[in-house]
């Protein structure tokens, strides 16, 4: 299994509070991604990174920001959480020998009350 | 708008028979396609992929077919096994390494 972890695994927070989710990899892969999974929508890309300090928006980036100061860490921040951001968040990495295959972390279940 | 669609939310198949999961896409610029399998409370795991320059890729019991003119791909699993019961997502790669996923098909293989 690819070395990819997410923290926290579960979080409950209140509307309006900031939240940061962390993704950590030990594979030295170039690309890192944040997705959210919601019923009826599958997985939707929030942001992705193609290198340290290089990031780009995905299809559902509003309300989210990201940072990547080290190859191994990719942070997702909800500046002011809303109930619509209640979801399961998955981090993924790619860029190994088969560059398009993504390896996913175990997910973070976020509930915004 | 959903650029990658899986119109069958669920599928049930008898053990030993063939499972066929379908996926349609709208963006002709997609150049790579992948299938992932997901168990509850876990992240998706990669299953098989195909480049847009090919029409078939096979890996053991899993075969992916791509019909570019119809913007359609399918995943065939034969023979199906109970351990194949999971949610299957198709995904498509756009330029810049951005990926679009379908909504998933829940496969149940009945022993």
């Amino acid at each position: 299994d690819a070395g990819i972890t997410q923290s926290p695994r579960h979080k409950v927070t209140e509307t309006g509070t900031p939240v940061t989710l962390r993704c950590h990899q030990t594979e030295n892969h170039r690309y890192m991604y944040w997705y959210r999974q919601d019923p009826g929508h599958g997985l939707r890309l929030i942001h992705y990174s193609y290198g340290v300090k290089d990031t780009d928006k995905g299809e559902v980036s509003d309300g989210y920001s990201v940072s990547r100061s080290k190859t191994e860490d990719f942070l997702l921040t909800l500046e002011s959480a809303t109930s619509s951001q209640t979801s399961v968040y998955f981090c993924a990495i790619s860029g190994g020998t088969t560059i398009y295959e993504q390896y996913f972390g175990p997910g973070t279940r976020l509930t915004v009350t | 708008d959903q650029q990658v669609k899986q119109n069958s939310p669920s599928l049930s198949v008898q053990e030993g028979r063939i499972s066929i999961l379908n996926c349609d896409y709208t963006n002709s610029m997609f150049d790579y396609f992948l299938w992932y399998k997901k168990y509850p409370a876990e992240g998706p795991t990669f299953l098989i992929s195909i480049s847009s320059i090919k029409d078939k890729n096979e890996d053991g019991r899993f075969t992916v077919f791509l019909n570019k003119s119809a913007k359609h791909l399918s995943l065939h699993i034969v023979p199906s096994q109970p351990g194949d019961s999971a949610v299957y997502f198709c995904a498509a790669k756009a330029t810049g390494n951005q990926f679009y996923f379908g909504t998933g098909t829940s496969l149940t293989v009945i022993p």
Side-chain angles (χ1 to χ4, degrees), chain A residues 8-62:
Chain A
R9 294 292 314 277
H10 302 270
K11 185 168 183 67
V12 180
T13 191
E14 293 184 349
T15 298
T17 59
V19 177
T20 295
L21 308 183
R22 180 179 183 241
C23 178
H24 179 78
Q25 61 147 329
T26 58
E27 305 297 320
N28 201 35
H29 281 357
R30 176 183 177 189
Y31 294 93
M32 298 186 76
Y33 307 80
W34 277 108
Y35 292 91
R36 58 178 291 175
Q37 184 191 8
D38 303 289
H41 291 279
L43 288 152
R44 291 180 293 174
L45 181 65
I46 304 171
H47 283 279
Y48 69 103
S49 169
Y50 45 95
V52 174
K53 293 187 171 34
D54 293 323
T55 65
D56 207 348
K57 295 179 180 179
E59 58 180 318
V60 290
S61 59
D62 287 349

Side-chain angles (χ1 to χ4, degrees), chain A residues 56-109:
Chain A
D56 207 348
K57 295 179 180 179
E59 58 180 318
V60 290
S61 59
D62 287 349
Y64 301 94
S65 63
V66 290
S67 66
R68 191 172 179 195
S69 59
K70 298 185 290 184
T71 299
E72 58 266 34
D73 289 324
F74 192 33
L75 303 180
L76 176 71
T77 297
L78 292 65
E79 301 291 346
S80 177
T82 68
S83 58
S84 64
Q85 293 176 311
T86 292
S87 186
V88 179
Y89 291 85
F90 288 100
C91 176
I93 62 174
S94 71
T97 51
T98 47
I99 63 170
Y100 299 136
E101 295 173 21
Q102 294 181 309
Y103 299 94
F104 284 82
T108 294
R109 181 171 294 277

Side-chain angles (χ1 to χ4, degrees), chain B residues 6-46:
Chain B
Q6 293 177 257
N7 292 317
S8 297
S10 62
L11 175 68
S12 290
V13 171
Q14 291 281 12
E15 180 179 4
R17 306 295 290 267
I18 185 171
S19 296
I20 300 176
L21 295 91
N22 294 303
C23 181
D24 296 295
Y25 61 96
T26 57
N27 188 340
S28 59
M29 298 303 292
F30 288 149
D31 58 8
Y32 203 81
F33 303 88
L34 309 96
W35 284 94
Y36 290 85
K37 176 179 179 179
K38 186 183 181 303
Y39 294 118
E42 295 183 9
T45 56
F46 170 76

